[in-house]
Amino acid sequence: MTEQNTDTSNTPSDDFAQQAEEASVGLIAEFWDFLRYNKKWWLTPIILVLLVIAALAIWGGSAVAPFIYPGL
């Protein structure tokens, strides 16, 4: 008869548990890995523009607003 492999170190549940115990890498590092492995470089300018718009919206309601909108 054939010999069955009883090694369970590579089962999906063990892989999942091992990855769950690892430290998280952070949002920026995870996004960078996504761009690098999936070749989605066209997303970079879109994300940068959205971040700039969000920063302007946040700063528009603060003490920085007079420096953003001079002459209004």
Side-chain angles (χ1 to χ4, degrees):
M1 292 257 145
T2 61
E3 183 178 318
Q4 292 182 347
N5 187 3
T6 58
D7 183 21
T8 59
S9 63
N10 291 331
T11 62
S13 62
D14 288 341
D15 263 350
F16 181 76
Q18 181 184 8
Q19 289 179 1
E21 291 174 1
E22 293 178 0
S24 62
V25 292
L27 183 65
I28 295 173
E30 190 170 333
F31 183 67
W32 176 254
D33 286 340
F34 171 77
L35 290 176
R36 192 170 56 171
Y37 292 119
N38 293 315
K39 309 286 192 260
K40 302 286 185 186
W41 296 111
W42 56 270
L43 282 173
T44 305
I46 297 170
I47 297 298
L48 290 176
V49 167
L50 288 174
L51 288 173
V52 167
I53 291 171
L56 286 175
I58 291 170
W59 290 337
S62 70
V64 182
F67 301 108
I68 296 173
Y69 309 108
L72 288 180

Short mmCIF file of all heavy atoms in Angstrom, two decimals:
data_model
loop_
_atom_site.label_atom_id
_atom_site.label_comp_id
_atom_site.label_asym_id
_atom_site.label_seq_id
_atom_site.Cartn_x
_atom_site.Cartn_y
_atom_site.Cartn_z
N MET A 1 0.83 -1.18 0.00
CA MET A 1 0.00 0.00 0.00
C MET A 1 0.88 1.25 0.00
O MET A 1 2.06 1.19 0.28
CB MET A 1 -0.88 0.01 1.25
CG MET A 1 -1.94 -1.04 1.30
SD MET A 1 -3.44 -0.24 0.90
CE MET A 1 -4.27 -1.49 0.03
N THR A 2 0.24 2.36 -0.24
CA THR A 2 0.99 3.62 -0.25
C THR A 2 1.05 4.20 1.15
O THR A 2 0.15 4.00 1.96
CB THR A 2 0.33 4.64 -1.20
OG1 THR A 2 -0.97 4.90 -0.72
CG2 THR A 2 0.30 4.11 -2.62
N GLU A 3 2.11 4.90 1.39
CA GLU A 3 2.29 5.52 2.70
C GLU A 3 1.58 6.88 2.72
O GLU A 3 1.75 7.70 1.84
CB GLU A 3 3.79 5.72 2.95
CG GLU A 3 4.10 6.29 4.31
CD GLU A 3 5.59 6.43 4.52
OE1 GLU A 3 6.33 5.51 4.14
OE2 GLU A 3 5.98 7.46 5.08
N GLN A 4 0.78 7.11 3.73
CA GLN A 4 0.06 8.37 3.84
C GLN A 4 0.90 9.38 4.60
O GLN A 4 1.59 9.04 5.56
CB GLN A 4 -1.27 8.17 4.56
CG GLN A 4 -2.25 7.36 3.75
CD GLN A 4 -3.58 7.22 4.50
OE1 GLN A 4 -3.66 7.53 5.67
NE2 GLN A 4 -4.58 6.75 3.80
N ASN A 5 0.80 10.59 4.18
CA ASN A 5 1.53 11.67 4.82
C ASN A 5 0.72 12.17 6.01
O ASN A 5 -0.38 12.66 5.86
CB ASN A 5 1.77 12.79 3.81
CG ASN A 5 2.68 13.87 4.37
OD1 ASN A 5 3.17 13.76 5.49
ND2 ASN A 5 2.89 14.90 3.60
N THR A 6 1.27 12.02 7.20
CA THR A 6 0.57 12.46 8.41
C THR A 6 1.08 13.79 8.92
O THR A 6 0.69 14.24 9.98
CB THR A 6 0.71 11.39 9.53
OG1 THR A 6 2.10 11.21 9.80
CG2 THR A 6 0.06 10.10 9.13
N ASP A 7 1.94 14.43 8.14
CA ASP A 7 2.48 15.74 8.53
C ASP A 7 1.41 16.80 8.29
O ASP A 7 0.97 17.03 7.18
CB ASP A 7 3.73 16.05 7.71
CG ASP A 7 4.37 17.36 8.13
OD1 ASP A 7 4.11 17.80 9.27
OD2 ASP A 7 5.12 17.92 7.32
N THR A 8 0.98 17.47 9.37
CA THR A 8 -0.10 18.47 9.26
C THR A 8 0.43 19.89 9.43
O THR A 8 -0.33 20.80 9.71
CB THR A 8 -1.18 18.21 10.32
OG1 THR A 8 -0.58 18.28 11.61
CG2 THR A 8 -1.85 16.86 10.10
N SER A 9 1.73 20.09 9.22
CA SER A 9 2.30 21.42 9.44
C SER A 9 1.92 22.41 8.34
O SER A 9 2.03 23.60 8.52
CB SER A 9 3.82 21.34 9.56
OG SER A 9 4.35 20.86 8.35
N ASN A 10 1.48 21.93 7.19
CA ASN A 10 1.14 22.81 6.10
C ASN A 10 -0.36 22.86 5.81
O ASN A 10 -0.76 23.16 4.71
CB ASN A 10 1.89 22.41 4.83
CG ASN A 10 3.38 22.69 4.95
OD1 ASN A 10 3.77 23.60 5.67
ND2 ASN A 10 4.18 21.92 4.27
N THR A 11 -1.17 22.54 6.77
CA THR A 11 -2.61 22.60 6.55
C THR A 11 -3.05 24.06 6.50
O THR A 11 -2.41 24.93 7.09
CB THR A 11 -3.37 21.86 7.66
OG1 THR A 11 -3.10 22.51 8.90
CG2 THR A 11 -2.99 20.40 7.72
N PRO A 12 -4.14 24.35 5.80
CA PRO A 12 -4.60 25.74 5.72
C PRO A 12 -4.92 26.36 7.07
O PRO A 12 -4.67 27.54 7.29
CB PRO A 12 -5.86 25.64 4.86
CG PRO A 12 -5.69 24.39 4.07
CD PRO A 12 -4.90 23.47 4.95
N SER A 13 -5.45 25.59 8.00
CA SER A 13 -5.77 26.16 9.31
C SER A 13 -4.50 26.55 10.07
O SER A 13 -4.48 27.55 10.78
CB SER A 13 -6.61 25.19 10.13
OG SER A 13 -5.89 24.00 10.36
N ASP A 14 -3.43 25.76 9.93
CA ASP A 14 -2.17 26.11 10.57
C ASP A 14 -1.55 27.34 9.93
O ASP A 14 -0.99 28.19 10.61
CB ASP A 14 -1.18 24.95 10.50
CG ASP A 14 -1.57 23.80 11.42
OD1 ASP A 14 -2.37 24.04 12.35
OD2 ASP A 14 -1.07 22.69 11.20
N ASP A 15 -1.66 27.45 8.61
CA ASP A 15 -1.17 28.65 7.92
C ASP A 15 -1.91 29.88 8.40
O ASP A 15 -1.30 30.92 8.65
CB ASP A 15 -1.36 28.51 6.41
CG ASP A 15 -0.11 28.03 5.71
OD1 ASP A 15 0.94 27.97 6.35
OD2 ASP A 15 -0.22 27.71 4.51
N PHE A 16 -3.21 29.77 8.52
CA PHE A 16 -4.04 30.89 8.97
C PHE A 16 -3.66 31.30 10.39
O PHE A 16 -3.51 32.49 10.68
CB PHE A 16 -5.51 30.52 8.89
CG PHE A 16 -6.43 31.62 9.30
CD1 PHE A 16 -6.67 32.69 8.46
CD2 PHE A 16 -7.05 31.61 10.54
CE1 PHE A 16 -7.50 33.71 8.82
CE2 PHE A 16 -7.89 32.62 10.93
CZ PHE A 16 -8.12 33.69 10.06
N ALA A 17 -3.48 30.34 11.26
CA ALA A 17 -3.12 30.64 12.65
C ALA A 17 -1.74 31.29 12.72
O ALA A 17 -1.53 32.23 13.49
CB ALA A 17 -3.14 29.36 13.48
N GLN A 18 -0.81 30.83 11.90
CA GLN A 18 0.53 31.40 11.90
C GLN A 18 0.50 32.85 11.42
O GLN A 18 1.13 33.72 12.00
CB GLN A 18 1.45 30.58 11.01
CG GLN A 18 2.87 31.10 10.97
CD GLN A 18 3.74 30.32 10.01
OE1 GLN A 18 3.26 29.47 9.27
NE2 GLN A 18 5.03 30.60 10.02
N GLN A 19 -0.27 33.13 10.37
CA GLN A 19 -0.36 34.50 9.86
C GLN A 19 -1.09 35.40 10.84
O GLN A 19 -0.80 36.59 10.92
CB GLN A 19 -1.05 34.51 8.50
CG GLN A 19 -0.19 33.93 7.41
CD GLN A 19 -0.88 33.93 6.06
OE1 GLN A 19 -2.00 34.39 5.92
NE2 GLN A 19 -0.21 33.39 5.07
N ALA A 20 -2.05 34.87 11.57
CA ALA A 20 -2.79 35.67 12.54
C ALA A 20 -1.90 36.08 13.71
O ALA A 20 -2.12 37.14 14.31
CB ALA A 20 -4.00 34.89 13.04
N GLU A 21 -0.91 35.27 14.04
CA GLU A 21 -0.01 35.58 15.15
C GLU A 21 1.08 36.57 14.77
O GLU A 21 1.70 37.17 15.65
CB GLU A 21 0.61 34.29 15.68
CG GLU A 21 -0.39 33.39 16.37
CD GLU A 21 0.21 32.05 16.77
OE1 GLU A 21 1.41 31.83 16.51
OE2 GLU A 21 -0.53 31.23 17.32
N GLU A 22 1.31 36.77 13.47
CA GLU A 22 2.35 37.71 13.05
C GLU A 22 1.89 39.14 13.29
O GLU A 22 0.71 39.44 13.33
CB GLU A 22 2.64 37.52 11.56
CG GLU A 22 3.28 36.20 11.22
CD GLU A 22 3.51 36.02 9.74
OE1 GLU A 22 3.17 36.94 8.96
OE2 GLU A 22 4.02 34.98 9.35
N ALA A 23 2.84 40.02 13.47
CA ALA A 23 2.54 41.44 13.69
C ALA A 23 2.03 42.04 12.38
O ALA A 23 2.49 41.71 11.30
CB ALA A 23 3.79 42.18 14.15
N SER A 24 1.08 42.96 12.50
CA SER A 24 0.55 43.61 11.30
C SER A 24 1.58 44.60 10.76
O SER A 24 2.33 45.21 11.51
CB SER A 24 -0.76 44.32 11.61
OG SER A 24 -0.54 45.34 12.55
N VAL A 25 1.60 44.76 9.45
CA VAL A 25 2.63 45.58 8.83
C VAL A 25 2.22 47.04 8.68
O VAL A 25 3.05 47.90 8.46
CB VAL A 25 3.01 45.02 7.44
CG1 VAL A 25 3.71 43.69 7.58
CG2 VAL A 25 1.80 44.92 6.54
N GLY A 26 0.96 47.35 8.77
CA GLY A 26 0.49 48.72 8.65
C GLY A 26 -0.15 48.97 7.31
O GLY A 26 0.04 48.24 6.33
N LEU A 27 -0.92 50.02 7.25
CA LEU A 27 -1.71 50.33 6.07
C LEU A 27 -0.84 50.74 4.88
O LEU A 27 -1.05 50.27 3.76
CB LEU A 27 -2.71 51.44 6.39
CG LEU A 27 -3.66 51.81 5.26
CD1 LEU A 27 -4.58 50.66 4.94
CD2 LEU A 27 -4.45 53.04 5.64
N ILE A 28 0.14 51.58 5.12
CA ILE A 28 0.97 52.06 4.02
C ILE A 28 1.81 50.92 3.43
O ILE A 28 1.92 50.79 2.21
CB ILE A 28 1.85 53.23 4.48
CG1 ILE A 28 0.95 54.41 4.84
CG2 ILE A 28 2.85 53.62 3.40
CD1 ILE A 28 1.67 55.57 5.46
N ALA A 29 2.40 50.10 4.29
CA ALA A 29 3.19 48.98 3.81
C ALA A 29 2.33 47.97 3.06
O ALA A 29 2.74 47.42 2.03
CB ALA A 29 3.90 48.30 4.97
N GLU A 30 1.13 47.75 3.55
CA GLU A 30 0.23 46.82 2.87
C GLU A 30 -0.20 47.37 1.51
O GLU A 30 -0.27 46.64 0.52
CB GLU A 30 -1.00 46.58 3.74
CG GLU A 30 -1.88 45.47 3.25
CD GLU A 30 -2.95 45.10 4.25
OE1 GLU A 30 -2.74 45.30 5.45
OE2 GLU A 30 -3.98 44.59 3.81
N PHE A 31 -0.46 48.68 1.44
CA PHE A 31 -0.81 49.30 0.16
C PHE A 31 0.37 49.23 -0.81
O PHE A 31 0.19 48.97 -2.00
CB PHE A 31 -1.26 50.74 0.38
CG PHE A 31 -1.71 51.42 -0.87
CD1 PHE A 31 -2.86 51.00 -1.52
CD2 PHE A 31 -0.98 52.47 -1.40
CE1 PHE A 31 -3.26 51.62 -2.70
CE2 PHE A 31 -1.39 53.10 -2.56
CZ PHE A 31 -2.53 52.67 -3.20
N TRP A 32 1.57 49.47 -0.32
CA TRP A 32 2.76 49.39 -1.16
C TRP A 32 2.93 47.98 -1.72
O TRP A 32 3.24 47.80 -2.90
CB TRP A 32 4.00 49.81 -0.37
CG TRP A 32 5.26 49.66 -1.15
CD1 TRP A 32 6.21 48.70 -1.00
CD2 TRP A 32 5.69 50.48 -2.24
NE1 TRP A 32 7.21 48.88 -1.91
CE2 TRP A 32 6.92 49.96 -2.69
CE3 TRP A 32 5.16 51.60 -2.88
CZ2 TRP A 32 7.62 50.52 -3.75
CZ3 TRP A 32 5.87 52.15 -3.93
CH2 TRP A 32 7.08 51.61 -4.35
N ASP A 33 2.75 46.97 -0.88
CA ASP A 33 2.83 45.58 -1.35
C ASP A 33 1.77 45.29 -2.40
O ASP A 33 2.03 44.60 -3.39
CB ASP A 33 2.70 44.61 -0.19
CG ASP A 33 3.94 44.56 0.68
OD1 ASP A 33 5.01 44.97 0.20
OD2 ASP A 33 3.83 44.11 1.83
N PHE A 34 0.57 45.82 -2.19
CA PHE A 34 -0.51 45.63 -3.17
C PHE A 34 -0.12 46.23 -4.52
O PHE A 34 -0.29 45.60 -5.56
CB PHE A 34 -1.80 46.28 -2.66
CG PHE A 34 -2.89 46.34 -3.69
CD1 PHE A 34 -3.61 45.20 -3.99
CD2 PHE A 34 -3.18 47.52 -4.34
CE1 PHE A 34 -4.61 45.25 -4.95
CE2 PHE A 34 -4.18 47.58 -5.28
CZ PHE A 34 -4.90 46.43 -5.60
N LEU A 35 0.41 47.46 -4.50
CA LEU A 35 0.81 48.10 -5.75
C LEU A 35 1.93 47.33 -6.44
O LEU A 35 1.93 47.15 -7.66
CB LEU A 35 1.28 49.53 -5.50
CG LEU A 35 0.22 50.55 -5.10
CD1 LEU A 35 0.89 51.88 -4.80
CD2 LEU A 35 -0.83 50.70 -6.16
N ARG A 36 2.88 46.89 -5.65
CA ARG A 36 4.05 46.22 -6.22
C ARG A 36 3.71 44.85 -6.81
O ARG A 36 4.14 44.53 -7.92
CB ARG A 36 5.12 46.07 -5.14
CG ARG A 36 6.45 45.66 -5.69
CD ARG A 36 7.51 45.75 -4.65
NE ARG A 36 7.11 44.93 -3.49
CZ ARG A 36 7.90 44.66 -2.48
NH1 ARG A 36 9.11 45.16 -2.45
NH2 ARG A 36 7.49 43.93 -1.49
N TYR A 37 2.93 44.04 -6.10
CA TYR A 37 2.66 42.68 -6.57
C TYR A 37 1.56 42.61 -7.62
O TYR A 37 1.57 41.74 -8.46
CB TYR A 37 2.31 41.77 -5.39
CG TYR A 37 3.48 41.53 -4.48
CD1 TYR A 37 3.44 41.91 -3.16
CD2 TYR A 37 4.65 40.94 -4.95
CE1 TYR A 37 4.51 41.72 -2.32
CE2 TYR A 37 5.73 40.75 -4.13
CZ TYR A 37 5.66 41.13 -2.81
OH TYR A 37 6.73 40.94 -2.00
N ASN A 38 0.62 43.54 -7.59
CA ASN A 38 -0.48 43.51 -8.54
C ASN A 38 -0.30 44.47 -9.70
O ASN A 38 -1.16 44.58 -10.56
CB ASN A 38 -1.80 43.82 -7.83
CG ASN A 38 -2.16 42.73 -6.87
OD1 ASN A 38 -2.07 41.56 -7.19
ND2 ASN A 38 -2.57 43.10 -5.67
N LYS A 39 0.82 45.19 -9.73
CA LYS A 39 1.15 46.12 -10.81
C LYS A 39 0.04 47.14 -11.05
O LYS A 39 -0.39 47.39 -12.17
CB LYS A 39 1.42 45.35 -12.11
CG LYS A 39 2.40 44.22 -11.99
CD LYS A 39 3.82 44.71 -11.85
CE LYS A 39 4.80 43.59 -12.02
NZ LYS A 39 5.32 43.05 -10.82
N LYS A 40 -0.44 47.74 -9.98
CA LYS A 40 -1.50 48.74 -10.06
C LYS A 40 -0.93 50.14 -9.85
O LYS A 40 -1.45 50.94 -9.07
CB LYS A 40 -2.59 48.46 -9.00
CG LYS A 40 -3.22 47.11 -9.10
CD LYS A 40 -4.16 47.03 -10.27
CE LYS A 40 -4.86 45.68 -10.25
NZ LYS A 40 -5.67 45.45 -11.39
N TRP A 41 0.12 50.49 -10.58
CA TRP A 41 0.79 51.77 -10.38
C TRP A 41 -0.10 52.96 -10.76
O TRP A 41 0.11 54.06 -10.29
CB TRP A 41 2.09 51.81 -11.19
CG TRP A 41 3.06 50.80 -10.71
CD1 TRP A 41 3.46 49.68 -11.37
CD2 TRP A 41 3.72 50.78 -9.45
NE1 TRP A 41 4.34 48.97 -10.59
CE2 TRP A 41 4.53 49.62 -9.41
CE3 TRP A 41 3.72 51.63 -8.34
CZ2 TRP A 41 5.32 49.30 -8.32
CZ3 TRP A 41 4.51 51.30 -7.26
CH2 TRP A 41 5.30 50.15 -7.25
N TRP A 42 -1.09 52.74 -11.59
CA TRP A 42 -1.98 53.82 -12.00
C TRP A 42 -2.83 54.32 -10.83
O TRP A 42 -3.40 55.41 -10.90
CB TRP A 42 -2.87 53.38 -13.16
CG TRP A 42 -3.67 52.15 -12.87
CD1 TRP A 42 -3.29 50.86 -13.10
CD2 TRP A 42 -4.97 52.09 -12.27
NE1 TRP A 42 -4.27 50.00 -12.69
CE2 TRP A 42 -5.32 50.72 -12.17
CE3 TRP A 42 -5.86 53.04 -11.81
CZ2 TRP A 42 -6.52 50.32 -11.63
CZ3 TRP A 42 -7.06 52.61 -11.27
CH2 TRP A 42 -7.38 51.27 -11.20
N LEU A 43 -2.92 53.55 -9.75
CA LEU A 43 -3.68 54.00 -8.58
C LEU A 43 -2.94 55.06 -7.76
O LEU A 43 -3.57 55.80 -7.01
CB LEU A 43 -3.98 52.81 -7.67
CG LEU A 43 -5.11 51.89 -8.09
CD1 LEU A 43 -5.16 50.67 -7.17
CD2 LEU A 43 -6.42 52.61 -8.08
N THR A 44 -1.64 55.14 -7.90
CA THR A 44 -0.84 56.05 -7.08
C THR A 44 -1.26 57.51 -7.23
O THR A 44 -1.50 58.19 -6.22
CB THR A 44 0.65 55.87 -7.39
OG1 THR A 44 0.99 54.49 -7.20
CG2 THR A 44 1.51 56.72 -6.49
N PRO A 45 -1.38 58.07 -8.45
CA PRO A 45 -1.79 59.48 -8.53
C PRO A 45 -3.21 59.72 -8.02
O PRO A 45 -3.49 60.78 -7.45
CB PRO A 45 -1.69 59.82 -10.02
CG PRO A 45 -1.34 58.58 -10.72
CD PRO A 45 -1.03 57.53 -9.74
N ILE A 46 -4.08 58.77 -8.19
CA ILE A 46 -5.45 58.92 -7.70
C ILE A 46 -5.46 59.01 -6.18
O ILE A 46 -6.11 59.88 -5.59
CB ILE A 46 -6.34 57.75 -8.19
CG1 ILE A 46 -6.44 57.77 -9.71
CG2 ILE A 46 -7.71 57.79 -7.53
CD1 ILE A 46 -7.10 56.54 -10.29
N ILE A 47 -4.71 58.13 -5.53
CA ILE A 47 -4.65 58.14 -4.07
C ILE A 47 -4.00 59.43 -3.57
O ILE A 47 -4.46 60.03 -2.59
CB ILE A 47 -3.87 56.91 -3.56
CG1 ILE A 47 -4.59 55.62 -3.95
CG2 ILE A 47 -3.65 56.97 -2.06
CD1 ILE A 47 -5.97 55.46 -3.36
N LEU A 48 -2.95 59.89 -4.24
CA LEU A 48 -2.29 61.12 -3.82
C LEU A 48 -3.22 62.33 -3.94
O LEU A 48 -3.26 63.17 -3.04
CB LEU A 48 -1.01 61.35 -4.63
CG LEU A 48 0.13 60.38 -4.35
CD1 LEU A 48 1.30 60.65 -5.28
CD2 LEU A 48 0.56 60.47 -2.91
N VAL A 49 -3.97 62.42 -5.02
CA VAL A 49 -4.91 63.53 -5.19
C VAL A 49 -6.00 63.47 -4.12
O VAL A 49 -6.38 64.50 -3.55
CB VAL A 49 -5.50 63.52 -6.61
CG1 VAL A 49 -6.70 64.44 -6.74
CG2 VAL A 49 -4.44 63.90 -7.63
N LEU A 50 -6.50 62.28 -3.83
CA LEU A 50 -7.51 62.14 -2.78
C LEU A 50 -6.97 62.55 -1.42
O LEU A 50 -7.68 63.18 -0.62
CB LEU A 50 -8.05 60.71 -2.73
CG LEU A 50 -8.96 60.30 -3.89
CD1 LEU A 50 -9.29 58.82 -3.80
CD2 LEU A 50 -10.22 61.14 -3.88
N LEU A 51 -5.72 62.23 -1.14
CA LEU A 51 -5.11 62.63 0.13
C LEU A 51 -4.95 64.14 0.22
O LEU A 51 -5.17 64.74 1.28
CB LEU A 51 -3.76 61.94 0.31
CG LEU A 51 -3.81 60.45 0.62
CD1 LEU A 51 -2.40 59.85 0.62
CD2 LEU A 51 -4.50 60.20 1.94
N VAL A 52 -4.57 64.79 -0.88
CA VAL A 52 -4.44 66.24 -0.89
C VAL A 52 -5.79 66.91 -0.68
O VAL A 52 -5.91 67.87 0.10
CB VAL A 52 -3.77 66.72 -2.21
CG1 VAL A 52 -3.89 68.22 -2.38
CG2 VAL A 52 -2.32 66.29 -2.24
N ILE A 53 -6.82 66.42 -1.35
CA ILE A 53 -8.17 66.98 -1.18
C ILE A 53 -8.65 66.79 0.26
O ILE A 53 -9.24 67.71 0.85
CB ILE A 53 -9.15 66.35 -2.18
CG1 ILE A 53 -8.80 66.82 -3.60
CG2 ILE A 53 -10.59 66.68 -1.84
CD1 ILE A 53 -9.56 66.11 -4.69
N ALA A 54 -8.39 65.63 0.84
CA ALA A 54 -8.78 65.39 2.23
C ALA A 54 -8.03 66.33 3.17
O ALA A 54 -8.62 66.86 4.12
CB ALA A 54 -8.51 63.93 2.60
N ALA A 55 -6.75 66.56 2.92
CA ALA A 55 -5.97 67.46 3.77
C ALA A 55 -6.51 68.89 3.67
O ALA A 55 -6.64 69.58 4.68
CB ALA A 55 -4.50 67.42 3.38
N LEU A 56 -6.86 69.33 2.46
CA LEU A 56 -7.43 70.67 2.30
C LEU A 56 -8.77 70.79 3.01
O LEU A 56 -9.08 71.83 3.59
CB LEU A 56 -7.57 71.01 0.82
CG LEU A 56 -6.28 71.33 0.08
CD1 LEU A 56 -6.56 71.51 -1.40
CD2 LEU A 56 -5.62 72.55 0.65
N ALA A 57 -9.57 69.76 2.95
CA ALA A 57 -10.88 69.80 3.61
C ALA A 57 -10.72 69.85 5.13
O ALA A 57 -11.45 70.57 5.81
CB ALA A 57 -11.70 68.58 3.21
N ILE A 58 -9.76 69.12 5.65
CA ILE A 58 -9.53 69.12 7.10
C ILE A 58 -8.95 70.46 7.54
O ILE A 58 -9.39 71.05 8.53
CB ILE A 58 -8.60 67.95 7.50
CG1 ILE A 58 -9.34 66.63 7.31
CG2 ILE A 58 -8.11 68.10 8.92
CD1 ILE A 58 -8.46 65.41 7.43
N TRP A 59 -7.97 70.96 6.79
CA TRP A 59 -7.32 72.22 7.16
C TRP A 59 -8.22 73.43 6.91
O TRP A 59 -8.01 74.49 7.49
CB TRP A 59 -6.02 72.40 6.41
CG TRP A 59 -4.95 71.44 6.85
CD1 TRP A 59 -4.86 70.81 8.05
CD2 TRP A 59 -3.82 71.02 6.10
NE1 TRP A 59 -3.75 70.01 8.08
CE2 TRP A 59 -3.10 70.12 6.90
CE3 TRP A 59 -3.36 71.30 4.83
CZ2 TRP A 59 -1.93 69.52 6.46
CZ3 TRP A 59 -2.21 70.70 4.40
CH2 TRP A 59 -1.49 69.83 5.21
N GLY A 60 -9.22 73.27 6.03
CA GLY A 60 -10.11 74.38 5.73
C GLY A 60 -10.94 74.80 6.92
O GLY A 60 -11.36 75.96 7.02
N GLY A 61 -11.18 73.94 7.86
CA GLY A 61 -11.95 74.27 9.05
C GLY A 61 -11.10 74.53 10.26
O GLY A 61 -11.60 74.54 11.38
N SER A 62 -9.82 74.75 10.08
CA SER A 62 -8.93 74.97 11.21
C SER A 62 -8.25 76.33 11.11
O SER A 62 -8.59 77.15 10.27
CB SER A 62 -7.88 73.85 11.26
OG SER A 62 -6.99 74.00 10.19
N ALA A 63 -7.28 76.56 11.95
CA ALA A 63 -6.55 77.83 11.97
C ALA A 63 -5.63 77.97 10.77
O ALA A 63 -5.10 79.06 10.52
CB ALA A 63 -5.74 77.93 13.26
N VAL A 64 -5.44 76.94 10.00
CA VAL A 64 -4.57 76.99 8.83
C VAL A 64 -5.31 77.60 7.63
O VAL A 64 -4.69 78.02 6.66
CB VAL A 64 -4.06 75.57 8.49
CG1 VAL A 64 -3.12 75.57 7.31
CG2 VAL A 64 -3.36 74.96 9.69
N ALA A 65 -6.64 77.69 7.70
CA ALA A 65 -7.45 78.15 6.58
C ALA A 65 -7.03 79.51 6.03
O ALA A 65 -7.01 79.68 4.80
CB ALA A 65 -8.92 78.16 6.98
N PRO A 66 -6.70 80.51 6.83
CA PRO A 66 -6.29 81.79 6.24
C PRO A 66 -5.04 81.70 5.37
O PRO A 66 -4.84 82.51 4.47
CB PRO A 66 -6.02 82.67 7.46
CG PRO A 66 -6.82 82.08 8.54
CD PRO A 66 -6.84 80.61 8.28
N PHE A 67 -4.21 80.71 5.61
CA PHE A 67 -3.00 80.56 4.81
C PHE A 67 -3.27 79.78 3.52
O PHE A 67 -2.53 79.89 2.56
CB PHE A 67 -1.90 79.88 5.62
CG PHE A 67 -1.54 80.64 6.86
CD1 PHE A 67 -1.91 80.16 8.12
CD2 PHE A 67 -0.86 81.84 6.76
CE1 PHE A 67 -1.58 80.86 9.25
CE2 PHE A 67 -0.53 82.55 7.91
CZ PHE A 67 -0.90 82.06 9.16
N ILE A 68 -4.34 78.97 3.53
CA ILE A 68 -4.71 78.21 2.34
C ILE A 68 -5.47 79.10 1.37
O ILE A 68 -5.27 79.03 0.17
CB ILE A 68 -5.55 76.97 2.73
CG1 ILE A 68 -4.74 76.01 3.59
CG2 ILE A 68 -6.02 76.25 1.48
CD1 ILE A 68 -5.56 74.86 4.13
N TYR A 69 -6.37 79.91 1.87
CA TYR A 69 -7.25 80.74 1.05
C TYR A 69 -6.95 82.22 1.27
O TYR A 69 -7.77 82.95 1.79
CB TYR A 69 -8.72 80.47 1.38
CG TYR A 69 -9.10 79.02 1.36
CD1 TYR A 69 -9.36 78.33 2.53
CD2 TYR A 69 -9.20 78.34 0.15
CE1 TYR A 69 -9.72 77.00 2.50
CE2 TYR A 69 -9.56 77.01 0.11
CZ TYR A 69 -9.81 76.34 1.28
OH TYR A 69 -10.18 75.03 1.26
N PRO A 70 -5.80 82.72 0.88
CA PRO A 70 -5.51 84.16 1.09
C PRO A 70 -6.30 85.01 0.10
O PRO A 70 -6.54 84.64 -1.04
CB PRO A 70 -4.02 84.27 0.82
CG PRO A 70 -3.71 83.16 -0.12
CD PRO A 70 -4.66 82.04 0.25
N GLY A 71 -6.77 86.14 0.57
CA GLY A 71 -7.45 87.08 -0.30
C GLY A 71 -8.94 86.83 -0.45
O GLY A 71 -9.59 87.48 -1.26
N LEU A 72 -9.50 85.90 0.28
CA LEU A 72 -10.96 85.68 0.16
C LEU A 72 -11.71 86.52 1.15
O LEU A 72 -11.37 86.85 2.18
CB LEU A 72 -11.31 84.21 0.39
CG LEU A 72 -10.92 83.26 -0.73
CD1 LEU A 72 -11.33 81.84 -0.37
CD2 LEU A 72 -11.57 83.64 -2.03
#
